[in-house]
Amino acid sequence: MIYLPMPTWPDVPRPVAGCERCRVLRQQRALAIQRGDRSAASDCNVLIRRHHVEVHG
Ligand SMILES: [Zn+2]
């Protein structure tokens, strides 16, 4: 997986190793950022944070 330096995007919790949901959400966010879709990326940020609180918090 490729992580592009993207300082203008808000950081999100690090994906937890072995968690499929973390992996999928990070991938969706990366794809949204790649195509410049701020709306979709923002949605992913919310989903990632919520997931971390509910599952890993
Ligand atoms: Zn997770």
Side-chain angles (χ1 to χ4, degrees):
M1 186 176 290
I2 300 169
Y3 288 98
L4 297 172
M6 198 68 73
T8 60
W9 294 87
D11 201 10
V12 291
R14 299 181 67 81
V16 175
C19 179
E20 177 68 11
R21 181 74 170 151
C22 282
R23 193 187 66 77
V24 169
L25 287 173
R26 280 301 276 223
Q27 188 174 42
Q28 287 180 354
R29 178 174 179 272
L31 289 172
I33 290 172
Q34 275 182 12
R35 66 173 186 267
D37 191 339
R38 282 184 170 270
S39 174
S42 178
D43 287 347
C44 288
N45 288 344
V46 172
L47 290 173
I48 289 170
R49 291 204 183 91
R50 185 182 301 161
H51 164 73
H52 271 255
V53 168
E54 291 179 348
V55 179
H56 304 302

